[in-house]
Amino acid sequence: MIDNKIIYLDHAATTALDSRVLSEMLPFFGEKFGNPSSVYTFASGNREAVNNSRRIIAETLGAKPSEIYFTAGGSESDNWAIKGAAFANRDKGKHIITTKIEHHAVLHTTEYLSEQGFDITYLDVDENGIISLYDLKQAIRPDTILISVMFANNEIGSIQPINEIGEIAKEHNILFHTDAVQAYAQLPIDVNDLNIDMLSASGHKFNGPKGTGFLYIKNGTKIDNFIHGGQQERGKRAGTENVPGIVGIGKAAFLAHESMSGRIQNETELRDYIIDNILLKIPYARLNGHRTKRLPNNVNFSFQFIEGESLLILLDMAGICASSGSACTSGSTDPSHVLTALGLPNEVARGSLRLTLGAENTKEEIDFVINQIIKNVEQLRNSSPQYEDYNRRSI
Ligand SMILES: *Cc1c(COP(=O)(O)O)cnc(C)c1O
């Protein structure tokens, strides 16, 4: 803690709502309560606000407004893309290709589909968390209908070769979905350049409101409607629009893209500063994820001979919010499926720490955090029997 302030380094779990986003949303919780579908003038502002957000988000991706569908978050977008494409195309085939390091919103969806008679191939990743394009090509069959590969990983930050995957999918006439929840608003994305058919994003990962998200669906993509009911979202995702949320995610998308290049530069500098210092000053430390093909705001280490959970508690006592893996797995002591997929032995994977930066983090905070990590790793190791054993044996 510096000046009694929490140091927040868990931006991959969620981010603070930007105050400018909040002010934009507030009137839509109050006097501007009209239903966007109503015909009278009073509601036309609400319709206009929803369309405006759709336009903003389309522009950030090089897409058309008619290709953006608002959802209630990243998990919903992933569910819709994968189930919707699977069921709409099952006459063509029942084979889906994804990876072992996807978010559970993807993995639990493909597990469900496998119970429904679909056949799923889970691609391995290399020791840096990146899939092999050769493996991908080998996995393609005549009945493959969908490839779903995340843009960037939420735990280890590794960025997949999306451009090449898009080309391969297009060549074989297979739909390509990417979970871009961590990449959207962190990296520039053009859905046409990258041959992406469907892309998931979530508002609360880029300083927008929780419970908001969108799915980009390229015009002409064969996909089932997700919520049956009224004509909202061109009849594909029924239900009266979450107008304040949609206004909020639009404003957050605008602000995040306006500040993107500066943010990428600052965060990359801080990220590399943390990596260089930790690897230099802490023995038996490993960087998880690719050294350069990684999100500008992500670092993830494994420290041998300690438990990541214990380190988190000590950092928490110093006012530092960090994570030992994905938020969904905290509470369980099993190493995350992502770290396991890298080939890390359990005892190494369990000593992992993830820090994810945001625009407000300063060099002063990072210096404090690096010192706390060094101090606490040393303290934990000094009370670790395995570490003592190891040192005795190596003398
Ligand atoms: C956070 C996250 C999700 C889920 O998004 P929600 O909006 O919280 O449902 C999905 N995929 C990835 C990669 C994420 O980081």
Side-chain angles (χ1 to χ4, degrees), residues 20 32 41 45 61-62 83 126 143 164 170 176 179 183 202 222 236 238 245 296 304 319 346 356-358 362 387 391:
R20 293 164 293 178
K32 295 188 182 174
T41 321
L61 291 167
K83 284 186 256 183
D126 64 16
D143 62 338
E164 289 83 352
K170 189 178 174 188
F176 175 35
D179 174 343
S202 169
K222 216 173 148 201
K236 286 191 178 342
Q304 269 187 69
N346 274 8
T356 42
L357 300 156
T362 62
Y387 190 54
N391 280 334

Side-chain angles (χ1 to χ4, degrees), residues 73-75 78 103 150 154 179 181-182 202 204-205:
S75 300
D78 285 341
H103 190 273
M150 72 198 317
N154 45 305
D179 174 343
V181 172
Q182 291 295 334
S202 169
H204 76 100
K205 301 288 175 79

Side-chain angles (χ1 to χ4, degrees), residues 11-14 71-79 101-106 150-155 179-183 200-205 209-213 326-328 354:
H11 292 82
T14 196
T71 67
S75 300
E76 180 184 323
S77 299
D78 285 341
N79 269 260
I101 63 162
E102 298 297 311
H103 190 273
H104 284 134
V106 169
M150 72 198 317
F151 208 113
N153 184 267
N154 45 305
E155 291 187 41
D179 174 343
V181 172
Q182 291 295 334
S200 305
S202 169
H204 76 100
K205 301 288 175 79
K210 292 177 178 55
T212 68
S326 92
C328 326
R354 178 188 74 180

Side-chain angles (χ1 to χ4, degrees), residues 133-207:
L133 295 169
Y134 176 81
D135 288 354
L136 172 64
K137 287 184 212 156
Q138 289 293 307
I140 291 174
R141 313 191 313 212
D143 62 338
T144 307
I145 51 172
L146 174 67
I147 295 171
S148 180
V149 176
M150 72 198 317
F151 208 113
N153 184 267
N154 45 305
E155 291 187 41
I156 57 172
S158 54
I159 299 171
Q160 301 301 330
I162 295 297
N163 193 7
E164 289 83 352
I165 300 169
E167 264 171 32
I168 293 168
K170 189 178 174 188
E171 233 168 74
H172 291 82
N173 203 19
I174 299 167
L175 289 176
F176 175 35
H177 164 251
T178 186
D179 174 343
V181 172
Q182 291 295 334
Y184 180 77
Q186 294 284 350
L187 301 171
I189 301 176
D190 185 301
V191 285
N192 293 310
D193 287 354
L194 297 171
N195 289 308
I196 294 168
D197 296 303
M198 293 173 284
L199 175 145
S200 305
S202 169
H204 76 100
K205 301 288 175 79
F206 54 94
N207 303 102

